[in-house]
Amino acid sequence: MTEDERASEDGTRSLTERLTPWRARETGANAGLTGRLVRRFAWLDASLLALIFGSTAIVVGAGLVQVSLGAYEMTIGQAWAAVVNPNVLFDPQAWDAFLLGEAVPEMRTESLIVWNIRLPRVLVAVLVGMNLAVSGAVFQAVTRNELASPFILGVSSGAGLAILLTLVAFAGVTLVVPLVVTEITLGLSALLPVIAAVGGIAAFLLVYAIAWKNGTSPVRLVLAGVIVSTVFGSLQTAMFFFADNIGVVQSAIQWTTGSLTGVDWEQVRIAIPWTVFGLALAIASARQLNVLLLGESTAKSLGMRVERMRFGLSAVAVLLAAASIAVAGIVSFVGLIVPHVVRNVVGSDYRKLLIGCLFAGPALLVAADVGARLALSPAQIPVGIVTGLVGGPYFLYLMRRQESLGEI
Amino acid sequence: MGERGFATDGGVGSILGRDDDSTADDDADDSPANASDGTGASEFSGDDLVIGYPNTDEPVIDGESIRVPPGEVTALVGPNGSGKSTLLKGLADQLSLDRGTVRVDGAAVHELGTKRLARKLGLLSQDSTAPNSITVEKLVAHGRYPHRGAFEALTDADWDAIDRAISLAGVDHLRDREVGQLSGGQQQLAWIAMALAQETDVLLLDEPTTFLDLRHQLQVMAIVERLRDESETTVVLVLHDIEQAAQYADHVVALEDGSVSARGPPEAVVTEELLADVFGVDAAVATTDHGPQVTPLRPLDDGDDGDETGGPDGERG
């Protein structure tokens, strides 16, 4: 062969030079610990930091609005003082009450209202926002489709159907749970959060079973999700038809559109363990998600068990979605929009994207909840309606601006 | 630094000495840099392979065996639909085999764990897609996936491998560019760098030059040559272009309708008979210093080429 010049594109450089690691040459003596640290945190760049600070500012601002306004008259100063009231902030007994559900200790009325009624709502919004945003981002990687949402694999329809079945068909049923010393009798509606989450997870498993044929593919998963959602959606509507009274219907709608009305520390307690567990798993899987984005055959040739990974990651995302359904119902659009916004700001590296979602998700949901609470004050509308009203126009804007919407 | 890479220097146009000489120089320069010296090149073979797709009944490849010469470049050629990509996917364990075994260094690939396999066997597939905003360096770093635990950070050894891959693929100057901003040819070089960072003993490339402009085709083939000359990597590639196969491969396997119709060194395989029988073209083949040179003349009518395969020098592998 005489195509030697092709064999050495950069023929003027010696092979030694070419094969000496570039990093080592560039950084020289600094290549030690500092160099490694720099590499380690290179992803924390300006755009991500700006997103984090901006989102945090929105959460804090909207949160302060939330704690300041309400039926009980107090000045803004009183409310803010109550938030930072050291007697509550550093009282372990109070935290036991909040996080473990023990008796709330004595405190001033303002503190009680702010800490026991208004703040938990903000906290639940933060948790739900994080869960939905990260869940949506994970699903978008798993299905390699920018238009995927936490509810794309049938989770919302399953949860909605489970809720309606409970409220309409089994309204009178009670469960008796035997414990060692006593037994508790629970109306099924007390178990609604659990039932909603279980319904969502069951629908997800059904979708997976339908999509499975010598393995799955993103397209088949999405199609199976559409099938299950359609059938379950019809069943939901049928259940409405059989509802006895308007109260049941309103309660069901509150669940299926997502609402933060009346949440308190109990909802925080329900959501926190799953949130921490799911978010930690999702963020630890950032690299797997990045590799999944390279396409199935590349991921496979890099040594990933694609099918197993896809199921595992979907399960984590469903868990996060189910945790948020359990405390707030089905809040639409957050899991769809937030990853989108974040991707536009920080790019598609999942390490940045997921961290960004952790901050931007709460920002959207806390802000939307301010709207839900104050728009038609004193009446409150479900926060899902506000996110839907914000989400639709945002997508219209995206559709107009971006030529190709869909593929990541 | 890398700017000089191939942006300005003579590259394809300039004439240097013979390939073998420059290789010898390189080896003298820098013997320890060769990735896998000492251990010898990997054995890679497939026996009695039956490969099909899950949703079709008839297997595409039905009972073929292939033995790849260690440390050399083997090209799979054939017309559209001859099963060359299918065979490659079967060899890479991307398609599960209906029958037969593929072995790397004696170990059956489907019995190796996925990550262990990915440390021995790399594949650059045709349908790779990357998010537009990923940088070349990050893309290449994904090549280290099989060498890392689930939650491990990149080690210095990983970075060294990434640096080597980037400079071998000649994409130093593109290192911090986003993949979405690159031309198709540059993207292909970045993908090759990713596969190189995997540092496997066997590297499979599925039509690496298809859809590239001439210059990038030559750059890709130059990388393949350097892999052969400077390391002991065993390379198997599907080539659309039989002239490229004739020019660069040490060993050519021609497929037709899912069976091997000829195999051997390019001079023995790339013949006028084979071009007529397998590819259905009338062509003139001249022997040159660069291996057989093919001048396609006209397509043969469907009636002409028939199904009977191989000249007398066919089945010799």
Side-chain angles (χ1 to χ4, degrees):
Chain A
M1 314 245 161
T2 59
E3 292 70 28
D4 2 75
E5 63 282 2
R6 281 176 226 168
S8 51
E9 264 304 323
D10 38 8
T12 41
R13 288 165 56 199
S14 76
L15 187 70
T16 333
E17 195 191 342
R18 272 183 268 126
L19 292 183
T20 311
W22 173 83
R23 295 269 165 181
R25 288 201 306 276
E26 288 294 293
T27 48
N30 292 333
L33 187 63
T34 354
R36 231 172 295 152
L37 277 178
V38 167
R39 278 173 192 167
R40 202 83 215 251
F41 291 98
W43 51 271
L44 200 61
D45 60 10
S47 54
L48 181 58
L49 283 175
L51 182 84
I52 289 175
F53 286 126
S55 301
T56 311
I58 293 175
V59 171
V60 171
L64 285 177
V65 172
Q66 287 285 60
V67 297
S68 309
L69 302 176
Y72 182 88
E73 290 290 333
M74 65 176 100
T75 66
I76 291 178
Q78 278 174 319
W80 294 10
V83 174
V84 291
N85 180 1
N87 290 337
V88 181
L89 217 47
F90 301 111
D91 180 2
Q93 217 186 333
W95 285 105
D96 278 355
F98 298 149
L99 295 179
L100 301 175
E102 296 179 5
V104 180
E106 289 276 316
M107 55 177 84
R108 300 226 317 273
T109 318
E110 283 83 17
S111 294
L112 196 66
I113 295 216
V114 165
W115 274 91
N116 222 18
I117 298 176
R118 294 182 182 171
L119 258 188
R121 180 165 179 157
V122 177
L123 282 181
V124 172
V126 166
L127 293 175
V128 170
M130 284 178 175
N131 283 355
L132 290 178
V134 169
S135 171
V138 170
F139 270 128
Q140 290 176 4
V142 167
T143 60
R144 287 183 52 213
N145 185 338
E146 259 189 321
L147 303 179
S149 80
F151 306 136
I152 192 149
L153 297 190
V155 176
S156 58
S157 59
L161 183 61
I163 287 161
L164 272 157
L165 275 174
T166 315
L167 290 177
V168 177
F170 306 109
V173 180
T174 51
L175 266 189
V176 180
V177 183
L179 295 179
V180 182
V181 276
T182 173
E183 58 187 28
I184 30 173
T185 310
L186 288 171
L188 265 192
S189 49
L191 290 174
L192 263 187
V194 183
I195 289 170
V198 168
I201 291 169
F204 159 71
L205 293 176
L206 179 62
V207 165
Y208 231 92
I210 291 176
W212 189 274
K213 187 185 171 195
N214 300 308
T216 61
S217 73
V219 174
R220 261 216 306 278
L221 280 173
V222 171
L223 286 179
V226 170
I227 293 167
V228 169
S229 296
T230 310
V231 174
F232 280 21
S234 297
L235 291 175
Q236 268 186 50
T237 316
M239 298 305 294
F240 275 121
F241 195 69
F242 290 110
D244 296 333
N245 59 52
I246 193 78
V248 169
V249 174
Q250 277 184 342
S251 164
I253 285 181
Q254 205 159 58
W255 272 97
T256 51
T257 49
S259 165
L260 293 169
T261 307
V263 299
D264 64 15
W265 284 101
E266 193 193 336
Q267 274 70 35
V268 177
R269 290 194 291 271
I270 292 175
I272 268 193
W274 304 111
T275 304
V276 171
F277 177 67
L279 292 179
L281 269 181
I283 288 169
S285 310
R287 186 156 53 88
Q288 321 287 341
L289 290 161
N290 278 332
V291 171
L292 266 185
L293 288 186
L294 302 180
E296 185 159 355
S297 60
T298 304
K300 209 172 165 197
S301 67
L302 286 173
M304 176 187 281
R305 293 161 188 251
V306 175
E307 211 58 75
R308 198 179 290 193
M309 191 60 75
R310 201 148 53 196
F311 183 80
L313 290 169
S314 302
V316 170
V318 166
L319 182 74
L320 288 171
S324 72
I325 288 178
V327 294
I330 300 160
V331 183
S332 61
F333 270 112
V334 176
L336 183 55
I337 303 173
V338 174
H340 240 285
V341 176
V342 177
R343 193 176 287 118
N344 280 342
V345 177
V346 304
S348 53
D349 178 355
Y350 260 73
R351 197 151 35 160
K352 290 191 225 170
L353 183 62
L354 291 179
I355 301 286
C357 283
L358 280 188
F359 291 87
L364 174 62
L365 206 60
V366 175
D369 194 39
V370 172
R373 225 179 120 210
L374 301 181
L376 300 178
S377 182
Q380 300 197 10
I381 52 173
V383 66
I385 291 180
V386 178
T387 54
L389 285 176
V390 176
Y394 176 74
F395 258 88
L396 182 65
Y397 159 75
L398 275 185
M399 199 179 88
R400 291 279 167 191
R401 212 196 54 171
Q402 272 180 310
E403 272 180 22
S404 61
L405 195 63
E407 291 247 317
I408 289 182
Chain B
M1 37 155 293
E3 231 59 48
R4 268 182 313 159
F6 39 62
T8 52
D9 80 3
V12 180
S14 67
I15 308 280
L16 301 176
R18 273 197 61 83
D19 199 38
D20 303 8
D21 301 337
S22 63
T23 313
D25 287 348
D26 286 345
D27 283 342
D29 267 3
D30 194 63
S31 38
N34 282 338
S36 53
D37 43 1
T39 57
S42 273
E43 296 279 344
F44 184 56
S45 64
D47 288 315
D48 195 20
L49 302 176
V50 179
I51 310 168
Y53 291 90
N55 40 8
T56 53
D57 293 339
E58 286 287 301
V60 179
I61 303 286
D62 197 356
E64 284 299 334
S65 295
I66 180 168
R67 204 159 303 279
V68 176
E72 295 189 0
V73 176
T74 300
L76 306 180
V77 298
N80 291 343
S82 59
K84 51 194 192 302
S85 282
T86 308
L87 177 59
L88 196 79
K89 283 182 191 146
L91 289 173
D93 202 30
Q94 292 268 329
L95 282 174
S96 52
L97 306 176
D98 294 338
R99 210 179 65 215
T101 35
V102 177
R103 290 177 192 281
V104 186
D105 285 333
V109 296
H110 60 268
E111 284 166 11
L112 286 172
T114 48
K115 275 201 174 176
R116 259 186 82 196
L117 175 63
R119 288 196 291 267
K120 283 180 167 296
L121 179 79
L123 167 74
L124 180 67
S125 56
Q126 273 187 86
D127 51 352
S128 5
T129 53
N132 288 337
S133 64
I134 191 175
T135 62
V136 170
E137 182 182 83
K138 288 230 170 85
L139 179 66
V140 177
H142 282 314
R144 299 306 292 170
Y145 184 88
H147 298 268
R148 300 164 69 183
F151 305 114
E152 281 172 29
L154 287 166
T155 62
D156 286 349
D158 288 325
W159 279 110
D160 291 348
I162 292 165
D163 293 328
R164 276 196 299 272
I166 285 180
S167 79
L168 181 56
V171 288
D172 289 286
H173 61 300
L174 303 175
R175 192 173 182 122
D176 296 317
R177 294 269 298 277
E178 293 184 356
V179 172
Q181 297 169 354
L182 304 180
S183 73
Q186 292 172 323
Q187 287 186 3
Q188 181 71 328
L189 292 177
W191 280 105
I192 290 177
M194 189 204 78
L196 292 175
Q198 219 173 318
E199 300 210 314
T200 54
D201 305 327
V202 180
L203 182 60
L204 311 181
L205 305 168
D206 195 0
E207 301 210 15
T209 55
T210 307
F211 304 125
L212 301 189
D213 60 39
L214 193 55
R215 176 175 167 76
H216 283 107
Q217 289 188 30
L218 296 181
Q219 279 174 344
V220 168
M221 295 315 291
I223 296 167
V224 171
E225 283 199 313
R226 284 187 62 193
L227 274 180
R228 177 188 56 201
D229 296 340
E230 297 171 16
S231 73
E232 289 181 320
T233 311
T234 303
V235 180
V236 182
L237 70 176
V238 170
L239 284 177
H240 196 64
D241 182 347
I242 187 140
E243 288 188 72
Q244 254 167 16
Q247 194 174 344
Y248 291 98
D250 304 307
H251 190 77
V252 177
V253 177
L255 284 107
E256 185 193 15
D257 284 339
S259 45
V260 174
S261 56
R263 61 182 107 204
E267 302 79 46
V269 174
V270 182
T271 58
E272 289 171 8
E273 294 79 27
L274 179 112
L275 287 164
D277 290 342
V278 174
F279 288 85
V281 293
D282 189 8
V285 177
T287 311
T288 69
D289 293 346
H290 318 281
Q293 189 181 35
V294 180
T295 313
L297 300 175
R298 66 182 183 92
L300 292 169
D301 295 337
D302 283 347
D304 294 354
D305 55 12
D307 238 63
E308 63 280 8
T309 53
D313 52 354
E315 309 284 343
R316 38 173 277 180

